[in-house]
Amino acid sequence: MELDEMTMDIELHVDVNGPIEAVYQSVLQQVGAANVRPDGESLNMKLEEWAGGRWYRDRGQGIQHLWGHVQVIKPPSLLELSGPLLMSYPAINHIEVKLAETGGKGTTRVSFRHRAIGMLDPGLKEGVQVGWQHLLDAVKGDFAKTEGSQT
């Protein structure tokens, strides 16, 4: 394998019409309990919100998959996760989610970065980019619903 086939670096950004504290809570929910695939199927994710906490998929009946551990948690501006994620082959991943207020207290920029190295599956890069964009769209959607309900 060539080095570029063994590495991945995906960066995505979304601007959310919401205060940073609330957007951060939405990120935690979307990474954890509210995490669904683009086809709508729940991933049944659990996130223990402390350094060293597990991030795992609980499929019930004792079936679980460790996706990673919380490396850094700094409310409301940073979440870092590291581990194998969805990969059941030799690979290590690092997820970084940074939040920053933009344009005053009403808008938050969410910057997402996923880096990986290992024996990466050839179709992985496209698939995870779609999945992570779906997650960021869900965060943004949490606040679009709120805006639509205000009169």
Side-chain angles (χ1 to χ4, degrees), residues 48-119:
E48 298 172 341
E49 298 175 23
W50 56 82
R54 297 171 299 160
W55 182 37
Y56 65 99
R57 185 174 184 193
D58 187 350
R59 302 186 76 182
Q61 300 179 338
I63 301 168
Q64 298 177 341
H65 302 272
L66 177 68
W67 278 41
H69 290 95
V70 175
Q71 185 170 324
V72 176
I73 188 162
K74 185 180 175 186
S77 61
L78 180 63
L79 176 66
E80 292 184 23
L81 305 162
S82 61
L85 272 73
L86 65 149
M87 301 172 198
S88 290
Y89 44 82
I92 188 69
N93 295 266
H94 182 263
I95 301 288
E96 177 185 73
V97 185
K98 289 183 178 179
L99 292 86
E101 290 181 342
T102 59
K105 274 202 163 255
T107 305
T108 302
R109 171 154 263 220
V110 181
S111 299
F112 181 94
R113 188 169 190 185
H114 178 178
R115 291 180 280 189
I117 187 166
M119 308 296 278

